[in-house]
Amino acid sequence: MAKVSIGLRGWRFDEDEILSDDEELKPLDEIPEEPRERLLRLVGLVEEPCDVCYLEHGEAEVHRCTQAEIVYGEPNGEVLLCPEHEPDFIYWFREEGGSDYAGELEFGDRFHEWIAAGNEAPEGYGSVEHVEEDPEGLPDLPDQQDIQERVEQGFEGERIDILELAGESDDEAELSEDDLADSDVDLSTDYPSNR
């Protein structure tokens, strides 16, 4: 069973879990939950800047950041890196206790804090050698519109009663005029609208 990276190096997928016999991405409902979650997350990450570059330059100068090529960590707690800053991450992970956060959602936050405190890998610290056998042979990730269409395909929908989930009935939720008068709500205020 071959492992492949798609979009960014680092997260590796079992080929037979995500690719069909004709080497295209399988429909989302045929991909197991964990790899499907990673693929969906990758769609939003694939054009993002390196986290370390972003911490150095900020939003105002995001154009100076290098686009990320590598991802480590778990979805929503990941670290995005360019090749230049990967040694900083590897050093933090191996030598500065970063491995203690492996598998945790706070993983990315702890690395960002370490970098923000002015830390970096010593000069000449090595990186991970990534082997790319056939980078052009893998399918491209679908864009966000395609993902949304795939998610909605065949979706019937279900009406959810939020009050019922909160353990309240419709009767308890109604406000009387006295309740409104005693509150700080100003119903005469005009709120902006984009209609």
Side-chain angles (χ1 to χ4, degrees):
M1 179 176 349
K3 295 267 193 186
V4 295
S5 292
I6 296 179
L8 299 170
R9 294 187 310 253
W11 284 351
R12 298 181 44 80
F13 301 91
D14 290 328
E15 235 177 36
D16 63 340
E17 288 185 341
I18 64 165
L19 299 177
S20 63
D21 292 336
D22 58 355
E23 299 295 313
E24 293 297 321
L25 279 177
K26 290 181 176 180
L28 291 175
D29 60 350
E30 294 180 19
I31 299 175
E33 184 178 351
E34 185 178 324
R36 180 176 59 235
E37 180 184 354
R38 286 179 185 260
L39 280 172
L40 291 172
R41 183 70 179 141
L42 272 174
V43 170
L45 298 176
V46 78
E47 294 184 7
E48 291 295 312
C50 165
D51 290 348
V52 178
C53 292
Y54 187 82
L55 288 169
E56 286 177 5
H57 303 296
E59 184 64 33
E61 296 192 45
V62 71
H63 61 278
R64 294 181 59 197
C65 297
T66 304
Q67 185 174 331
E69 294 181 26
I70 306 150
V71 60
Y72 289 110
E74 298 301 317
N76 298 309
E78 67 275 327
V79 172
L80 299 174
L81 300 161
C82 64
E84 179 185 343
H85 290 116
E86 186 180 29
D88 295 327
F89 171 81
I90 300 299
Y91 179 79
W92 169 79
F93 187 83
R94 291 179 178 163
E95 313 293 337
E96 295 292 326
S99 62
D100 294 346
Y101 303 103
E104 304 292 329
L105 285 179
E106 63 184 297
F107 182 75
D109 291 339
R110 299 296 81 82
F111 175 68
H112 298 151
E113 289 169 0
W114 185 79
I115 290 292
N119 296 301
E120 60 184 21
E123 187 71 33
Y125 193 81
S127 191
V128 174
E129 185 175 329
H130 298 278
V131 177
E132 293 188 34
E133 291 183 13
D134 185 14
E136 302 304 318
L138 294 172
D140 291 328
L141 281 172
D143 63 19
Q144 290 192 358
Q145 179 66 33
D146 186 36
I147 289 288
Q148 186 66 31
E149 289 170 6
R150 289 185 188 197
V151 168
E152 291 175 1
Q153 192 173 28
F155 180 70
E156 297 298 322
E158 180 182 339
R159 187 163 181 86
I160 298 172
D161 185 346
I162 294 176
L163 294 174
E164 182 180 316
L165 289 174
E168 298 178 10
S169 69
D170 286 337
D171 298 334
E172 294 172 353
E174 290 183 25
L175 295 173
S176 69
E177 287 185 31
D178 290 336
D179 292 333
L180 286 174
D182 293 340
S183 73
D184 292 332
V185 176
D186 182 359
L187 297 177
S188 66
T189 301
D190 287 330
Y191 293 98
S193 172
N194 54 357
R195 291 187 191 185

